[in-house]
Amino acid sequence: TEPEAAAIAYASRDRVAEGDRVAVYDLGGGTFDAAVLVREGAGFRLLGPPEGVEHLGGIDFDEAVFQHVLTSLGDIAELDDSDPATATGLARLRRDCVEAKEVLSFSVDTVVPVALPGINRSVRLTRGEFEDMLRPAIGETVAAVRRVLDSAGVSAADLSAMVLVGGSSRIPLVSEMLSAAFGRPLA
């Protein structure tokens, strides 16, 4: 399974002793999944059922940035959705919003260029603004990790590490909230 593969990959880089428990936090492009596993011999075994949040991932964060930019532009109702230039500009803007999300994982702010018919400007986005948009969604993932720990009969203190996988797990707010909630080493 994906959680087992993540735990095995982690164990290939860091020492995981027999009986050690790890939580896998998988925040990918479209979904979130969490699981608790225990090291047994050369592999891992799931403890309790995995937990997930469907329709929560990087694509939702991309959309949040896109909507923030559109809101910052003010009234754009006059844009003609049937105009190919508008469609091209919006597609480019969506790509730039994805890039802005990625930049905010290592920078404190970024600028999103906007080139739409009759609109040619930039929208500044700070990491703080971005994190404010994401905090409720990341909170849902923290709650899911709590549920998966409970169903596995494991406390956070029993974990040797939390293994973060998926591109969206690189968002600094994820590490910040997981560290605050569980106080365990993150990998």
Side-chain angles (χ1 to χ4, degrees):
T1 65
E2 287 184 44
E4 289 171 304
I8 290 168
Y10 168 67
S12 73
R13 295 183 310 273
D14 291 282
R15 181 162 156 45
V16 179
E18 180 82 16
D20 279 358
R21 291 166 175 82
V22 297
V24 174
Y25 177 101
D26 183 358
L27 184 56
T31 61
F32 167 75
D33 296 292
V36 177
L37 301 100
V38 61
R39 179 71 185 251
E40 291 183 342
F44 286 85
R45 177 177 56 85
L46 280 170
L47 293 175
E51 172 88 24
V53 179
E54 285 191 46
H55 311 296
L56 175 63
I59 194 167
D60 301 296
F61 306 152
D62 300 340
E63 184 64 22
V65 172
F66 181 70
Q67 291 303 320
H68 171 81
V69 170
L70 291 180
T71 300
S72 297
L73 295 175
D75 186 20
I76 58 167
E78 66 275 356
L79 286 176
D80 179 7
D81 290 342
S82 64
D83 179 9
T86 298
T88 300
L90 288 172
R92 183 175 35 249
L93 180 57
R94 282 191 180 279
R95 283 192 309 271
D96 290 341
C97 287
V98 171
E99 184 177 313
K101 173 195 74 175
E102 293 168 356
V103 166
L104 290 171
S105 287
F106 59 85
S107 184
V108 295
D109 68 350
T110 189
V111 175
V112 180
V114 180
L116 295 167
I119 303 171
N120 192 4
R121 58 180 273 218
S122 298
V123 174
R124 181 174 179 261
L125 179 62
T126 67
R127 182 183 293 169
E129 291 169 323
F130 179 58
E131 289 177 345
D132 287 344
M133 292 178 225
L134 303 188
R135 199 169 306 280
I138 303 303
E140 285 184 51
T141 69
V142 170
V145 171
R146 285 189 199 287
R147 289 190 301 272
V148 82
L149 288 170
D150 288 344
S151 69
V154 173
S155 73
D158 296 332
L159 297 174
S160 61
M162 296 188 81
V163 179
L164 279 57
V165 294
S168 293
S169 70
R170 294 186 194 112
I171 295 170
L173 181 64
V174 169
S175 296
E176 178 185 311
M177 289 181 71
L178 288 173
S179 291
F182 302 106
R184 301 310 306 150
L186 303 177

